[in-house]
Amino acid sequence: KAGVTQTPRYLIKTRGQQVTLSCSPISGHRSVSWYQQTPGQGLQFLFEYFSETQRNKGNFPGRFSGRQFSNSRSEMNVSTLELGDSALYLCASSQTWSLGQTTNEKLFFGSGTQLSVL
Amino acid sequence: DAKTTQPNSMESNEEEPVHLPCNHSTISGTDYIHWYRQLPSQGPEYVIHGLTSNVNNRMASLAIAEDRKSSTLILHRATLRDAAVYYCILRDQAGTALIFGKGTTLSVSS
């Protein structure tokens, strides 16, 4: 079974631009969540989608948004890029939606998209 | 905010057992204890999880204190490939996102 696929692997943008990152979950997984990883802040939760609906959101500005398609693939978008948005963006998939479900569900992470903002 | 406390770093020799501690004094009765690890240039990888009883799988063992305020991840025979950052995470009572702390950086020497 193929793992979580994130594209592109690397991306370089300039301040003020916008960017869209893509995530394809493991086949059969309906939940997709996104994390930002930086050396200073570590791994921080962005948002989670299940059945095309955002179920959970972290403490990030509105410039960060996402969506999920009917085939469970997900995209996240960052508008008006800032230097501080430079980070590794990780996507994770799981079979069930976390909130309201058993809390022992495990997540499967992709290798991430490394975004550099110049 | 992360609700677990782990040492910043630990060192081990190859083929020796490694005990990675985690304190979670404010754990609630419904919180599962999860462990993930992140190898260099990769996303986090699930290792093991448990609720009250000790757990074993092909990767590791998880020993949970009787009062559940601490736990220990045990790698029975460390290999060079086990060098990674290990995260101990409590799955929030509301079943929300994984909240990662700083983790423990494990170094393994040959």
Side-chain angles (χ1 to χ4, degrees):
Chain A
K1 190 183 256 190
V4 177
T5 304
Q6 291 189 247
T7 57
R9 187 70 179 89
Y10 301 95
L11 204 50
I12 299 175
K13 292 287 188 179
T14 57
R15 278 182 302 174
Q17 287 187 310
Q18 75 167 13
V19 66
T20 299
L21 311 181
S22 179
C23 172
S24 293
I26 291 172
S27 177
H29 285 193
R30 298 172 63 191
S31 175
V32 173
S33 52
W34 289 87
Y35 289 79
Q36 180 196 65
Q37 185 171 29
T38 59
Q41 298 298 318
L43 277 151
Q44 293 185 287
F45 171 72
L46 280 157
F47 28 64
E48 178 179 11
Y49 287 86
F50 181 82
S51 292
E52 303 176 62
T53 301
Q54 186 180 95
R55 302 291 184 173
N56 236 330
K57 190 177 191 306
N59 188 27
F60 277 81
R63 300 186 297 108
F64 292 81
S65 63
R67 60 177 176 170
Q68 187 180 33
F69 301 96
S70 58
N71 62 358
S72 295
R73 191 177 70 85
S74 177
E75 290 181 346
M76 70 162 281
N77 184 77
V78 188
S79 62
T80 320
L81 283 166
E82 301 176 0
L83 295 178
D85 297 332
S86 294
L88 179 66
Y89 289 87
L90 292 157
C91 162
S93 76
S94 63
Q95 288 183 308
T96 59
W97 168 44
S98 61
L99 188 62
Q101 305 291 330
T102 175
T103 58
N104 64 355
E105 182 68 24
K106 53 187 176 183
L107 271 63
F108 295 84
F109 284 82
S111 295
T113 294
Q114 183 67 54
L115 171 65
S116 297
V117 182
L118 307 178
Chain B
D1 293 331
K3 296 178 284 186
T4 63
T5 304
Q6 300 177 252
N8 290 333
S9 62
M10 292 186 65
E11 296 181 352
S12 175
N13 294 317
E14 211 174 3
E15 298 192 3
E16 289 185 355
V18 181
H19 291 232
L20 297 165
C22 180
N23 288 315
H24 29 78
S25 58
T26 60
I27 190 171
S28 73
T30 56
D31 281 343
Y32 277 80
I33 302 160
H34 292 250
W35 283 83
Y36 282 75
R37 71 179 184 181
Q38 187 171 21
L39 280 66
S41 303
Q42 294 187 27
E45 172 188 35
Y46 167 84
V47 177
I48 200 167
H49 74 273
L51 184 62
T52 56
S53 304
N54 295 344
V55 184
N56 300 291
N57 66 21
R58 64 176 181 82
M59 290 181 69
S61 295
L62 177 60
I64 302 172
E66 197 169 332
D67 63 5
R68 300 212 324 128
K69 294 186 176 182
S70 66
S71 60
T72 302
L73 179 70
I74 302 166
L75 306 179
H76 296 286
R77 292 184 64 187
T79 69
L80 296 177
R81 295 184 68 253
D82 291 323
V85 179
Y86 286 78
Y87 297 98
C88 170
I89 302 161
L90 299 185
R91 197 66 185 269
D92 191 272
Q93 189 172 9
T96 54
L98 292 178
I99 306 299
F100 288 83
K102 300 296 185 184
T104 296
T105 299
L106 175 66
S107 302
V108 181
S109 303
S110 58

